[in-house]
Amino acid sequence: MTQKIINLEVVISSLKPLLRSYLESRDITFRGSLFQCPNHSEHSNSDSTPSCGFVPETEETIFHCFSCLKSGDIFTAYSLLDEKSIHGNSFHTAVKELCDIFKIPYQLKPLSEQEVKSEAVQHSLSSLVKFAHNYLKEERPPEVWEYIKSRGWEDVVDKFEFGFLPDKPEIRERIN
């Protein structure tokens, strides 16, 4: 990303009330005030009886599922339904894509030199986390997995992208 949205707060406030429209555009089935949960990957039922609804007094800007307990706004729904990150710089991409879908105008300006450097650092750290997570899952170091099991964390290794990298020269070479 070499540009950022100038009027980000205004754009976000324009997008939030469009949660219902977004869900409908993604073929989420509504039955009265309830609808299918956008959290398909972790949902505990087939949603034959929808268990998700809008949080009262939020003017349909926040949803909550009573089955899987997932809550969120239009950005959370976007992340779940389009399987895209909304963290870090990916959030700006999400905002732009949602604006394009709903034809909401936004203005861009170039990133400052400091923002470009910060973005590079974030990208490097994100790559390192992915590498460490993949290493943990593929190599399965016994001592690390024993610790994970002792804490009861097996089910959240992927959710929180747990990772591990041993302090070895060949690993340091692959990171650099």
Side-chain angles (χ1 to χ4, degrees):
M1 181 176 84
T2 57
Q3 296 180 319
K4 66 180 180 180
I5 298 173
I6 294 173
N7 53 344
L8 186 60
E9 296 82 15
V10 173
V11 171
I12 290 171
S13 64
S14 298
L15 286 169
K16 285 197 173 203
L18 299 173
L19 175 58
R20 177 185 277 273
S21 297
Y22 178 72
L23 293 171
E24 290 170 344
S25 76
R26 302 293 290 141
D27 297 326
I28 296 296
T29 303
F30 282 77
R31 287 195 186 150
S33 62
L34 297 177
F35 51 92
Q36 291 174 316
C37 180
N39 188 20
H40 301 304
S41 66
E42 293 182 32
H43 215 256
S44 60
N45 67 31
S46 65
D47 250 358
S48 56
T49 304
S51 58
C52 199
F54 294 112
V55 175
E57 300 178 14
T58 65
E59 298 178 20
E60 297 188 350
T61 61
I62 299 174
F63 71 87
H64 177 77
C65 179
F66 295 97
S67 178
C68 70
L69 304 179
K70 188 71 172 179
S71 294
D73 59 9
I74 190 170
F75 302 106
T76 309
Y78 166 87
S79 176
L80 293 167
L81 293 169
D82 286 79
E83 298 178 355
K84 294 183 180 180
S85 175
I86 56 169
H87 302 289
N89 292 327
S90 299
F91 182 73
H92 291 278
T93 302
V95 171
K96 287 180 193 176
E97 289 181 10
L98 287 168
C99 282
D100 292 342
I101 290 169
F102 292 105
K103 302 194 181 352
I104 294 174
Y106 56 91
Q107 297 173 336
L108 298 173
K109 74 175 184 178
L111 296 177
S112 69
E113 186 177 324
Q114 182 63 34
E115 289 169 324
V116 170
K117 288 178 184 177
S118 176
E119 189 175 90
V121 168
Q122 281 184 326
H123 178 73
S124 295
L125 289 173
S126 178
S127 296
L128 181 62
V129 167
K130 262 186 200 159
F131 180 68
H133 178 65
N134 289 337
Y135 183 89
L136 176 64
K137 288 185 67 176
E138 292 168 10
E139 300 298 324
R140 298 188 66 82
E143 67 281 4
V144 177
W145 279 99
E146 285 303 316
Y147 180 75
I148 290 170
K149 286 178 185 176
S150 74
R151 302 297 299 238
W153 293 343
E154 303 94 335
D155 293 341
V156 296
V157 167
D158 285 332
K159 182 176 183 175
F160 295 109
E161 295 184 46
F162 286 173
F164 172 79
L165 294 175
D167 188 13
K168 295 180 178 178
E170 61 269 18
I171 296 293
R172 280 190 234 121
E173 287 177 21
R174 287 176 67 185
I175 293 171
N176 295 327

